[in-house]
Amino acid sequence: RDMWRQLEKVTIPIFSGNNAEYEGWKATFTSCVDNAPATPQYKLLQMKKYLGGEALISVKKLGHSASAYATAKERLERKYGGKRRRIALIKEELDQIKPLRDNQAKDMEMFADALDVCVANLIEVDKSDELGNGTFYSAMLVKLTDAMLTDYQRWLDDKNKEPNVQSLREWVIREADFLTVTQETKRGVSGP
């Protein structure tokens, strides 16, 4: 119990209507407030405290009852949440990734991070089927240089792997590690 008391309290951010921030806000709010042993009326007051802008306007006039709290949660989910929006946000993030440059560890690390986010989010919204050899996969392949794509194809063949997002992620993480070791060996760990 003493260990738990030493943990710093989680700060709930203010959600103002940015679709990209909704899922993170919802997860924090759900853990800290919605799952708490409190009345729906109190939870609604807390919700309004952590909303701003358009999001607050959308629930402000609902009243103060238990049904108002349920309606507020439904309204926020309808306006800012849902699987379709999460998938669209993942696609937008992938589209914003610039094509990789040869021998750039930071580029490869950022790409590996983007793949981690993509895989985790698609699994979370029960869209593991999107991790196959489809749209997401094709969108990610075009970010690779010709030399990288050739190396990746050779790796798939050598390892007898299926061409899909999970395989690409595995290869990218491996390559990012190799590039990082190479650059740290030549320039030092704290080098530019």
Side-chain angles (χ1 to χ4, degrees):
R1 287 182 179 253
D2 289 338
M3 290 292 290
W4 289 110
R5 288 185 193 139
Q6 292 176 12
L7 293 175
E8 189 175 322
K9 290 192 178 208
V10 174
T11 303
I12 302 172
I14 304 295
F15 175 68
S16 297
N18 180 343
N19 286 330
E21 297 171 356
Y22 176 71
E23 291 298 330
W25 175 85
K26 183 176 89 170
T28 307
F29 181 82
T30 299
S31 295
C32 296
V33 177
D34 195 46
N35 290 340
T39 65
Q41 293 87 341
Y42 182 76
K43 291 177 185 182
L44 180 59
L45 291 171
Q46 289 295 310
M47 175 187 278
K48 289 178 181 179
K49 181 179 171 183
Y50 297 112
L51 294 175
E54 185 183 314
L56 178 59
I57 291 168
S58 70
V59 302
K60 199 172 192 174
K61 296 180 182 177
L62 289 175
H64 307 287
S65 65
S67 65
Y69 179 59
T71 302
K73 290 193 308 182
E74 289 169 7
R75 186 175 281 185
L76 290 173
E77 186 65 21
R78 184 176 69 242
K79 289 182 86 165
Y80 306 108
K83 289 182 183 182
R84 181 195 57 77
R85 272 197 192 91
R86 289 212 38 204
I87 292 169
L89 285 168
I90 294 167
K91 285 181 181 178
E92 286 176 14
E93 286 180 31
L94 291 175
D95 289 343
Q96 291 175 5
I97 295 171
K98 294 179 180 169
L100 301 177
R101 299 170 291 173
D102 280 322
N103 300 318
Q104 295 297 315
K106 288 289 181 202
D107 284 7
M108 197 63 93
E109 285 175 18
M110 287 174 49
F111 193 54
D113 291 348
L115 286 170
D116 283 342
V117 169
C118 174
V119 169
N121 281 308
L122 288 172
I123 290 171
E124 190 174 325
V125 295
D126 296 323
K127 286 293 191 178
S128 298
D129 54 316
E130 296 283 350
L131 297 174
N133 190 347
T135 307
F136 281 104
Y137 183 66
S138 298
M140 289 180 245
L141 287 180
V142 299
K143 304 294 183 181
L144 302 175
T145 65
D146 291 350
M148 289 175 189
L149 192 51
T150 301
D151 289 345
Y152 171 62
Q153 294 296 337
R154 188 173 294 114
W155 178 82
L156 285 173
D157 190 55
D158 290 348
K159 300 291 183 185
N160 201 25
K161 297 269 189 179
E162 291 293 318
N164 58 40
V165 176
Q166 295 282 34
S167 295
L168 178 61
R169 178 174 169 257
E170 183 181 340
W171 180 82
V172 167
I173 290 169
R174 180 178 158 272
E175 291 298 308
D177 287 344
F178 290 157
L179 280 171
T180 300
V181 168
T182 299
Q183 290 184 0
E184 286 176 355
T185 300
K186 292 185 95 174
R187 297 184 183 107
V189 175
S190 60

